Amino acid sequence: MSRISHVFEQLQQHGRRALIPFITSGDPDLATTLDLMHAMAQAGADLIELGVPFSDPMADGPTIQRSSERALAQGVGLRDVLAVVAEFRRKDGQTPVVLMGYLNPVERMGYDAFARAARQAGVDGVLTVDCPPEEAGPLTDALYAHAIDPIFLLSPTTPESRFPVVARLARGFIYYVSLKGVTGAATLDVADVRNRIHAMRGRVGLPIGVGFGIRDAQSAQAVARFADAVVVGSRIVQAIEEAPRGEAVDRVAALIREIRSAIDAGVGAQA
Amino acid sequence: MRRYDLPDERGHFGPYGGRFVAETLVQALDDLRNQYQRYAQDPEFQAELAHELKHYVGRPSPIYHAKRWSEHLGGAQIYLKREDLNHTGAHKINNTVGQALLARRMGKRRVIAETGAGQHGVASATVAARYGLECVVYMGAEDIKRQAPNVYRMKLLGASVVAVDSGSKTLKDAMNEAMRDWVTHVETTFYIIGTAAGPHPYPMMVRDFQAVIGQEARTQMIELAGRQPDVLIACVGGGSNAIGLFSPYLEDEAVRLIGVEAGGLGLESGKHAAPLSAGVPGVLHGNRTYLMQDDNGQIQETHSISAGLDYPGVGPEHSWLKDSGRATYVAVTDAEALQAFHDLCRLEGIIPALESSHALAYAVKLAPTLDKEQILLVNLSGRGDKDIPTVAGLSGLAL
Ligand SMILES: Cc1ncc(COP(=O)(O)O)c(C=O)c1O
């Protein structure tokens, strides 16, 4: 069983939900990325999404665009991201790491070379935002061959007839994009998301995480009542951006603790 | 004769093309493909399109035998397909009329577009005014500075122009921002892509709307010269004017096809916009194609004297035509394009767009190597009025 599936199984047994923070590797620099990963795991993150910076982040709003630009300004590329994961694995053998980014850096490295290197570094899942299942066959083959879970998106515009198309290739968990828009956009409509998650249950056969519109502890708590995982991205990246030099790690850890306890309190009250 | 019937059902031209977009856009692209395929067969839609092209755009555009210039170069006869004489001054409007008619039939009241030089933005704003649609044009902040007259033209036509400040602040970033708008307003908005690139069905659809260029040329060349040309030459930014001219000739293998990319300061300088000449395949803006990128797969900044060619990618069908050998791609420098610009002004009384001047510059190289019976047909994709401030600036004049 993959590290991702194992984490979800453990959480489910204890009636808990996964908290998945997103940060961009190399923002503000690679050393801080490593510190942030350990601090977030300590503060209650169950899985870490690590953004691979790309020059043309079409699915991202201004906050994550800027973080990508900060990382690129230092020349951070896919190989550096893998090196950070390998470094992280020296101390943390449990927390799954999912790379999130765009297809081109992976194409450039070559699917098989990438999958091999990612596995060696200790990567557990890969989400390429601009590679829908129809185009993903060769990539998923390479990932399966190296025991890495391909993560796929479902969106508010995905017709139910497509659920099986996505579910056939997806492993680990399904990432439900909670709104029509880019990362960090307007707040989400909780009732609407709940209905969609209900429609997916039983049809995708994997845990379902929700991301894109979760801006604070309160919305994380609301979503955790019906989703298996909550992904928080722009809010954390914003905290990194706003932190004075040297304070990003403490601020992010505090934010993770706050969201963690809101999620647990909400789910506890429900039980 | 080899039959040519690409793309396949999923929008692939061999390994190129496809539909590399976030999940949120998949359904919208399915709808667009279905609606486009339906209207491509619909006699009423085709009749309306033909009517608009004739009475609003001013088609057919003439073909002109540039005799003085041909004599001056001392070789092949050069003919020019005069897309510069279209309403709004370039080939771009052939496509925007088609897409706007489709948007109306799909019940979309809002259109968005990306633009580099501003020609596609102007052509989009124009048809939006003509058909009563709301129009938002995304344009890189750098290009807004370079192309001030076109920015004002779009505003006169009632469009809002949004400055894009991310990345390199040019055409590719404008396209990113247009995609972000589309993903946010996908139910009400039609995205009018301005070149034969992007996710399926755009490369196919834009090609089909631009194919009127080559279709007219096939008839006109028989009337004018009694035969088809030996060589077709067109500049390649995203590749829409080139594929529009080439596609009706693809199965006619006696006709050589040459696409001309922006060589900027020279391919060896790295400062150019010539992905087919000096790039490698990758995925950007919804399709797999040749791209200018570094070893990490980051898209590189481009340079060209002409804003309309200043793009790191190219339509996927050109990538396929390159690999298959059916078309050849070359690059000419800023300086060569500028020289051809001045030559056409002085010898033929035509001010060409700087984009089109790249195609002309390659004719300058090729014509003298051929004999006087040979025929080159060059796509004069647009007129140069928009470039007058740039050219004047290079001569040290501020207008
Ligand atoms: C006059 C003219 N020609 C050519 C181009 C390049 O586009 P494409 O390669 O799609 O024809 C442009 C783009 O702005 C243009 O304005």
Side-chain angles (χ1 to χ4, degrees), chain A residues 113-166:
Chain A
F114 164 72
R116 184 185 310 271
R119 176 68 191 179
Q120 225 158 40
V123 169
D124 302 287
V126 171
L127 197 178
T128 42
V129 183
D130 55 349
C131 190
E134 288 81 355
E135 301 285 357
L139 176 61
T140 51
D141 284 348
L143 295 175
Y144 299 150
H146 296 281
I148 293 177
D149 291 336
I151 313 294
F152 283 94
L153 304 172
L154 286 177
S155 86
T157 57
T158 308
E160 294 191 11
S161 58
R162 262 177 75 75
F163 290 175
V165 177
V166 176

Short mmCIF file of all heavy atoms in Angstrom, two decimals, chain A residues 113-166:
data_model
loop_
_atom_site.label_atom_id
_atom_site.label_comp_id
_atom_site.label_asym_id
_atom_site.label_seq_id
_atom_site.Cartn_x
_atom_site.Cartn_y
_atom_site.Cartn_z
N ALA A 113 12.49 8.95 -16.67
CA ALA A 113 13.60 9.47 -15.85
C ALA A 113 13.05 10.22 -14.65
O ALA A 113 13.56 10.09 -13.52
CB ALA A 113 14.48 10.39 -16.69
N PHE A 114 11.98 10.99 -14.88
CA PHE A 114 11.37 11.73 -13.78
C PHE A 114 10.80 10.79 -12.73
O PHE A 114 11.06 10.95 -11.53
CB PHE A 114 10.27 12.66 -14.30
CG PHE A 114 9.34 13.14 -13.22
CD1 PHE A 114 9.78 14.08 -12.28
CD2 PHE A 114 8.04 12.65 -13.12
CE1 PHE A 114 8.94 14.51 -11.26
CE2 PHE A 114 7.20 13.07 -12.10
CZ PHE A 114 7.65 14.00 -11.16
N ALA A 115 10.02 9.81 -13.17
CA ALA A 115 9.36 8.91 -12.22
C ALA A 115 10.40 8.16 -11.37
O ALA A 115 10.26 8.01 -10.16
CB ALA A 115 8.44 7.93 -12.96
N ARG A 116 11.46 7.74 -12.03
CA ARG A 116 12.53 7.03 -11.33
C ARG A 116 13.18 7.94 -10.28
O ARG A 116 13.32 7.57 -9.10
CB ARG A 116 13.58 6.58 -12.36
CG ARG A 116 14.72 5.74 -11.84
CD ARG A 116 15.73 5.49 -12.97
NE ARG A 116 15.06 5.00 -14.18
CZ ARG A 116 14.83 3.70 -14.43
NH1 ARG A 116 15.24 2.79 -13.59
NH2 ARG A 116 14.21 3.33 -15.53
N ALA A 117 13.53 9.15 -10.70
CA ALA A 117 14.20 10.09 -9.78
C ALA A 117 13.27 10.49 -8.64
O ALA A 117 13.70 10.63 -7.49
CB ALA A 117 14.67 11.32 -10.55
N ALA A 118 11.98 10.65 -8.96
CA ALA A 118 11.02 11.08 -7.94
C ALA A 118 10.87 9.97 -6.89
O ALA A 118 10.84 10.23 -5.68
CB ALA A 118 9.68 11.40 -8.58
N ARG A 119 10.81 8.74 -7.37
CA ARG A 119 10.68 7.62 -6.45
C ARG A 119 11.90 7.55 -5.53
O ARG A 119 11.79 7.36 -4.31
CB ARG A 119 10.55 6.33 -7.26
CG ARG A 119 10.50 5.08 -6.41
CD ARG A 119 9.21 5.05 -5.64
NE ARG A 119 9.21 4.02 -4.62
CZ ARG A 119 8.20 3.81 -3.79
NH1 ARG A 119 7.12 4.58 -3.86
NH2 ARG A 119 8.26 2.86 -2.90
N GLN A 120 13.05 7.72 -6.15
CA GLN A 120 14.29 7.64 -5.39
C GLN A 120 14.35 8.73 -4.31
O GLN A 120 14.83 8.49 -3.21
CB GLN A 120 15.47 7.83 -6.34
CG GLN A 120 16.58 6.84 -6.11
CD GLN A 120 17.43 6.72 -7.36
OE1 GLN A 120 17.71 7.72 -8.03
NE2 GLN A 120 17.83 5.49 -7.69
N ALA A 121 13.82 9.90 -4.66
CA ALA A 121 13.84 11.02 -3.71
C ALA A 121 12.85 10.80 -2.57
O ALA A 121 12.99 11.38 -1.50
CB ALA A 121 13.52 12.32 -4.43
N GLY A 122 11.82 9.98 -2.82
CA GLY A 122 10.82 9.74 -1.80
C GLY A 122 9.50 10.47 -2.04
O GLY A 122 8.72 10.71 -1.13
N VAL A 123 9.24 10.80 -3.30
CA VAL A 123 7.96 11.40 -3.69
C VAL A 123 6.89 10.31 -3.71
O VAL A 123 7.15 9.19 -4.15
CB VAL A 123 8.07 12.06 -5.08
CG1 VAL A 123 6.70 12.46 -5.62
CG2 VAL A 123 9.01 13.27 -5.02
N ASP A 124 5.68 10.66 -3.26
CA ASP A 124 4.60 9.67 -3.20
C ASP A 124 3.52 9.87 -4.26
O ASP A 124 2.88 8.92 -4.67
CB ASP A 124 3.94 9.72 -1.82
CG ASP A 124 4.97 9.46 -0.75
OD1 ASP A 124 5.40 8.29 -0.62
OD2 ASP A 124 5.39 10.42 -0.06
N GLY A 125 3.29 11.12 -4.64
CA GLY A 125 2.24 11.38 -5.62
C GLY A 125 2.63 12.54 -6.51
O GLY A 125 3.48 13.35 -6.15
N VAL A 126 2.01 12.58 -7.69
CA VAL A 126 2.30 13.66 -8.64
C VAL A 126 0.99 14.14 -9.24
O VAL A 126 0.18 13.35 -9.72
CB VAL A 126 3.23 13.17 -9.78
CG1 VAL A 126 3.34 14.21 -10.88
CG2 VAL A 126 4.61 12.83 -9.23
N LEU A 127 0.80 15.46 -9.18
CA LEU A 127 -0.38 16.08 -9.78
C LEU A 127 0.09 17.10 -10.82
O LEU A 127 0.73 18.09 -10.46
CB LEU A 127 -1.19 16.80 -8.68
CG LEU A 127 -2.64 17.19 -8.94
CD1 LEU A 127 -3.24 17.83 -7.71
CD2 LEU A 127 -2.86 18.05 -10.14
N THR A 128 -0.17 16.83 -12.10
CA THR A 128 0.15 17.81 -13.13
C THR A 128 -1.16 18.43 -13.58
O THR A 128 -1.99 17.78 -14.20
CB THR A 128 0.88 17.17 -14.33
OG1 THR A 128 0.26 15.93 -14.61
CG2 THR A 128 2.34 16.92 -14.01
N VAL A 129 -1.32 19.70 -13.22
CA VAL A 129 -2.60 20.39 -13.38
C VAL A 129 -3.09 20.39 -14.82
O VAL A 129 -4.29 20.28 -15.08
CB VAL A 129 -2.45 21.86 -12.91
CG1 VAL A 129 -3.78 22.58 -12.98
CG2 VAL A 129 -1.90 21.90 -11.51
N ASP A 130 -2.17 20.53 -15.77
CA ASP A 130 -2.59 20.68 -17.17
C ASP A 130 -2.50 19.37 -17.95
O ASP A 130 -2.34 19.38 -19.16
CB ASP A 130 -1.77 21.79 -17.86
CG ASP A 130 -0.26 21.56 -17.77
OD1 ASP A 130 0.18 20.68 -16.99
OD2 ASP A 130 0.49 22.28 -18.45
N CYS A 131 -2.64 18.26 -17.25
CA CYS A 131 -2.62 16.98 -17.95
C CYS A 131 -3.85 16.16 -17.55
O CYS A 131 -3.81 15.37 -16.62
CB CYS A 131 -1.34 16.22 -17.63
SG CYS A 131 -1.11 14.78 -18.68
N PRO A 132 -4.97 16.36 -18.25
CA PRO A 132 -6.18 15.60 -17.93
C PRO A 132 -6.01 14.13 -18.33
O PRO A 132 -5.09 13.80 -19.08
CB PRO A 132 -7.26 16.29 -18.78
CG PRO A 132 -6.53 16.89 -19.93
CD PRO A 132 -5.16 17.24 -19.42
N PRO A 133 -6.88 13.25 -17.84
CA PRO A 133 -6.72 11.81 -18.07
C PRO A 133 -6.57 11.44 -19.55
O PRO A 133 -5.81 10.52 -19.87
CB PRO A 133 -8.01 11.21 -17.52
CG PRO A 133 -8.63 12.23 -16.66
CD PRO A 133 -8.05 13.56 -17.00
N GLU A 134 -7.26 12.15 -20.43
CA GLU A 134 -7.19 11.81 -21.86
C GLU A 134 -5.78 11.88 -22.41
O GLU A 134 -5.46 11.23 -23.40
CB GLU A 134 -8.08 12.75 -22.68
CG GLU A 134 -9.58 12.53 -22.51
CD GLU A 134 -10.14 13.17 -21.26
OE1 GLU A 134 -9.36 13.73 -20.45
OE2 GLU A 134 -11.38 13.12 -21.08
N GLU A 135 -4.93 12.72 -21.80
CA GLU A 135 -3.56 12.88 -22.31
C GLU A 135 -2.55 12.19 -21.39
O GLU A 135 -1.34 12.24 -21.64
CB GLU A 135 -3.19 14.37 -22.39
CG GLU A 135 -4.08 15.19 -23.30
CD GLU A 135 -3.81 14.95 -24.79
OE1 GLU A 135 -2.89 14.16 -25.12
OE2 GLU A 135 -4.54 15.54 -25.61
N ALA A 136 -3.03 11.58 -20.30
CA ALA A 136 -2.12 11.20 -19.23
C ALA A 136 -1.58 9.77 -19.32
O ALA A 136 -0.71 9.40 -18.54
CB ALA A 136 -2.79 11.41 -17.87
N GLY A 137 -2.07 8.98 -20.27
CA GLY A 137 -1.69 7.57 -20.33
C GLY A 137 -0.19 7.30 -20.18
O GLY A 137 0.22 6.57 -19.26
N PRO A 138 0.64 7.89 -21.02
CA PRO A 138 2.08 7.61 -20.93
C PRO A 138 2.68 8.04 -19.59
O PRO A 138 3.57 7.37 -19.06
CB PRO A 138 2.68 8.44 -22.08
CG PRO A 138 1.53 8.66 -23.03
CD PRO A 138 0.30 8.73 -22.18
N LEU A 139 2.19 9.14 -19.04
CA LEU A 139 2.71 9.61 -17.75
C LEU A 139 2.30 8.67 -16.62
O LEU A 139 3.13 8.27 -15.80
CB LEU A 139 2.22 11.04 -17.46
CG LEU A 139 2.62 11.61 -16.10
CD1 LEU A 139 4.13 11.69 -15.95
CD2 LEU A 139 2.00 13.00 -15.89
N THR A 140 1.03 8.30 -16.59
CA THR A 140 0.59 7.41 -15.51
C THR A 140 1.30 6.06 -15.60
O THR A 140 1.65 5.48 -14.58
CB THR A 140 -0.94 7.22 -15.48
OG1 THR A 140 -1.38 6.84 -16.78
CG2 THR A 140 -1.65 8.49 -15.05
N ASP A 141 1.54 5.57 -16.81
CA ASP A 141 2.28 4.31 -16.94
C ASP A 141 3.64 4.41 -16.26
O ASP A 141 4.05 3.50 -15.53
CB ASP A 141 2.48 3.94 -18.42
CG ASP A 141 1.19 3.40 -19.03
OD1 ASP A 141 0.25 3.10 -18.26
OD2 ASP A 141 1.12 3.30 -20.27
N ALA A 142 4.33 5.51 -16.51
CA ALA A 142 5.66 5.70 -15.91
C ALA A 142 5.54 5.80 -14.39
O ALA A 142 6.35 5.23 -13.65
CB ALA A 142 6.32 6.95 -16.47
N LEU A 143 4.52 6.51 -13.90
CA LEU A 143 4.36 6.68 -12.46
C LEU A 143 4.02 5.35 -11.78
O LEU A 143 4.60 4.99 -10.76
CB LEU A 143 3.30 7.74 -12.15
CG LEU A 143 3.64 9.17 -12.60
CD1 LEU A 143 2.46 10.12 -12.36
CD2 LEU A 143 4.89 9.70 -11.89
N TYR A 144 3.07 4.60 -12.39
CA TYR A 144 2.73 3.29 -11.79
C TYR A 144 3.97 2.41 -11.71
O TYR A 144 4.20 1.72 -10.72
CB TYR A 144 1.69 2.53 -12.64
CG TYR A 144 0.35 3.20 -12.83
CD1 TYR A 144 -0.38 2.96 -14.01
CD2 TYR A 144 -0.22 4.03 -11.87
CE1 TYR A 144 -1.62 3.55 -14.22
CE2 TYR A 144 -1.46 4.62 -12.08
CZ TYR A 144 -2.15 4.38 -13.25
OH TYR A 144 -3.37 4.95 -13.47
N ALA A 145 4.76 2.44 -12.78
CA ALA A 145 5.94 1.57 -12.83
C ALA A 145 6.90 1.85 -11.68
O ALA A 145 7.66 0.99 -11.27
CB ALA A 145 6.66 1.73 -14.17
N HIS A 146 6.87 3.07 -11.16
CA HIS A 146 7.76 3.42 -10.05
C HIS A 146 6.99 3.64 -8.75
O HIS A 146 7.46 4.33 -7.85
CB HIS A 146 8.59 4.65 -10.42
CG HIS A 146 9.51 4.38 -11.57
ND1 HIS A 146 10.71 3.71 -11.44
CD2 HIS A 146 9.37 4.63 -12.90
CE1 HIS A 146 11.28 3.59 -12.64
NE2 HIS A 146 10.49 4.14 -13.53
N ALA A 147 5.77 3.07 -8.71
CA ALA A 147 4.95 3.08 -7.49
C ALA A 147 4.70 4.50 -6.97
O ALA A 147 4.75 4.75 -5.77
CB ALA A 147 5.59 2.21 -6.40
N ILE A 148 4.43 5.41 -7.89
CA ILE A 148 4.03 6.77 -7.49
C ILE A 148 2.55 6.94 -7.87
O ILE A 148 2.13 6.50 -8.94
CB ILE A 148 4.89 7.83 -8.20
CG1 ILE A 148 6.33 7.71 -7.70
CG2 ILE A 148 4.34 9.23 -7.97
CD1 ILE A 148 7.29 8.65 -8.36
N ASP A 149 1.78 7.56 -6.98
CA ASP A 149 0.36 7.74 -7.24
C ASP A 149 0.11 8.97 -8.10
O ASP A 149 0.46 10.08 -7.70
CB ASP A 149 -0.41 7.94 -5.91
CG ASP A 149 -0.44 6.68 -5.06
OD1 ASP A 149 -0.30 5.57 -5.63
OD2 ASP A 149 -0.60 6.80 -3.83
N PRO A 150 -0.54 8.79 -9.26
CA PRO A 150 -0.98 9.97 -10.00
C PRO A 150 -2.26 10.53 -9.36
O PRO A 150 -3.20 9.79 -9.13
CB PRO A 150 -1.28 9.45 -11.41
CG PRO A 150 -1.13 7.97 -11.37
CD PRO A 150 -0.84 7.53 -9.97
N ILE A 151 -2.23 11.81 -9.07
CA ILE A 151 -3.39 12.46 -8.46
C ILE A 151 -4.11 13.25 -9.56
O ILE A 151 -3.46 13.94 -10.35
CB ILE A 151 -2.95 13.46 -7.36
CG1 ILE A 151 -1.91 12.85 -6.42
CG2 ILE A 151 -4.16 14.01 -6.60
CD1 ILE A 151 -2.39 11.70 -5.58
N PHE A 152 -5.43 13.13 -9.63
CA PHE A 152 -6.19 13.85 -10.65
C PHE A 152 -7.22 14.78 -10.03
O PHE A 152 -7.67 14.58 -8.90
CB PHE A 152 -6.87 12.88 -11.62
CG PHE A 152 -5.92 12.30 -12.62
CD1 PHE A 152 -5.30 11.08 -12.36
CD2 PHE A 152 -5.61 12.97 -13.78
CE1 PHE A 152 -4.40 10.55 -13.27
CE2 PHE A 152 -4.71 12.46 -14.70
CZ PHE A 152 -4.10 11.23 -14.44
N LEU A 153 -7.59 15.78 -10.83
CA LEU A 153 -8.58 16.76 -10.39
C LEU A 153 -9.97 16.39 -10.90
O LEU A 153 -10.12 15.83 -11.98
CB LEU A 153 -8.23 18.14 -10.98
CG LEU A 153 -6.85 18.71 -10.68
CD1 LEU A 153 -6.62 19.98 -11.50
CD2 LEU A 153 -6.73 19.03 -9.19
N LEU A 154 -10.97 16.73 -10.10
CA LEU A 154 -12.34 16.82 -10.59
C LEU A 154 -12.77 18.25 -10.32
O LEU A 154 -12.28 18.89 -9.39
CB LEU A 154 -13.27 15.83 -9.88
CG LEU A 154 -13.11 14.36 -10.28
CD1 LEU A 154 -14.02 13.47 -9.45
CD2 LEU A 154 -13.43 14.18 -11.76
N SER A 155 -13.70 18.76 -11.13
CA SER A 155 -14.06 20.17 -10.96
C SER A 155 -15.56 20.34 -10.98
O SER A 155 -16.29 19.41 -11.32
CB SER A 155 -13.43 20.99 -12.09
OG SER A 155 -14.29 20.95 -13.21
N PRO A 156 -16.04 21.54 -10.64
CA PRO A 156 -17.48 21.79 -10.67
C PRO A 156 -18.07 21.59 -12.06
O PRO A 156 -19.27 21.37 -12.20
CB PRO A 156 -17.61 23.25 -10.25
CG PRO A 156 -16.34 23.58 -9.52
CD PRO A 156 -15.30 22.71 -10.14
N THR A 157 -17.26 21.68 -13.10
CA THR A 157 -17.79 21.52 -14.46
C THR A 157 -17.65 20.09 -15.00
O THR A 157 -18.04 19.83 -16.12
CB THR A 157 -17.07 22.47 -15.45
OG1 THR A 157 -15.67 22.20 -15.40
CG2 THR A 157 -17.31 23.93 -15.10
N THR A 158 -17.05 19.21 -14.19
CA THR A 158 -16.89 17.83 -14.66
C THR A 158 -18.25 17.13 -14.66
O THR A 158 -18.88 17.03 -13.61
CB THR A 158 -15.96 17.03 -13.73
OG1 THR A 158 -14.74 17.74 -13.56
CG2 THR A 158 -15.68 15.64 -14.28
N PRO A 159 -18.73 16.64 -15.81
CA PRO A 159 -20.00 15.91 -15.80
C PRO A 159 -19.79 14.55 -15.12
O PRO A 159 -18.69 13.99 -15.15
CB PRO A 159 -20.32 15.74 -17.28
CG PRO A 159 -19.02 15.88 -18.00
CD PRO A 159 -18.13 16.74 -17.15
N GLU A 160 -20.85 14.03 -14.52
CA GLU A 160 -20.73 12.77 -13.79
C GLU A 160 -20.26 11.64 -14.70
O GLU A 160 -19.60 10.71 -14.25
CB GLU A 160 -22.05 12.42 -13.11
CG GLU A 160 -22.38 13.43 -12.02
CD GLU A 160 -23.54 13.01 -11.11
OE1 GLU A 160 -23.98 11.83 -11.19
OE2 GLU A 160 -23.99 13.87 -10.34
N SER A 161 -20.56 11.77 -15.99
CA SER A 161 -20.14 10.73 -16.93
C SER A 161 -18.61 10.63 -17.01
O SER A 161 -18.08 9.62 -17.47
CB SER A 161 -20.71 11.01 -18.32
OG SER A 161 -20.28 12.28 -18.77
N ARG A 162 -17.92 11.67 -16.57
CA ARG A 162 -16.44 11.63 -16.61
C ARG A 162 -15.83 11.05 -15.35
O ARG A 162 -14.63 10.75 -15.34
CB ARG A 162 -15.88 13.05 -16.81
CG ARG A 162 -15.53 13.39 -18.23
CD ARG A 162 -15.04 14.84 -18.35
NE ARG A 162 -13.70 15.06 -17.85
CZ ARG A 162 -12.59 14.69 -18.48
NH1 ARG A 162 -12.68 14.09 -19.64
NH2 ARG A 162 -11.40 14.93 -17.97
N PHE A 163 -16.59 10.92 -14.29
CA PHE A 163 -16.01 10.40 -13.04
C PHE A 163 -15.22 9.11 -13.27
O PHE A 163 -14.09 8.97 -12.80
CB PHE A 163 -17.09 10.18 -11.97
CG PHE A 163 -17.70 11.44 -11.40
CD1 PHE A 163 -18.75 11.37 -10.50
CD2 PHE A 163 -17.22 12.70 -11.76
CE1 PHE A 163 -19.32 12.52 -9.96
CE2 PHE A 163 -17.79 13.86 -11.24
CZ PHE A 163 -18.84 13.77 -10.34
N PRO A 164 -15.82 8.13 -13.98
CA PRO A 164 -15.07 6.88 -14.16
C PRO A 164 -13.79 7.05 -14.98
O PRO A 164 -12.80 6.35 -14.75
CB PRO A 164 -16.04 5.95 -14.90
CG PRO A 164 -17.34 6.66 -15.00
CD PRO A 164 -17.18 8.06 -14.54
N VAL A 165 -13.79 7.99 -15.93
CA VAL A 165 -12.61 8.24 -16.76
C VAL A 165 -11.44 8.69 -15.88
O VAL A 165 -10.30 8.25 -16.04
CB VAL A 165 -12.91 9.34 -17.82
CG1 VAL A 165 -11.66 9.66 -18.65
CG2 VAL A 165 -14.06 8.92 -18.72
N VAL A 166 -11.76 9.56 -14.93
CA VAL A 166 -10.74 10.08 -14.03
C VAL A 166 -10.36 9.01 -13.00
O VAL A 166 -9.18 8.77 -12.73
CB VAL A 166 -11.24 11.36 -13.32
CG1 VAL A 166 -10.23 11.86 -12.30
CG2 VAL A 166 -11.54 12.45 -14.36
#
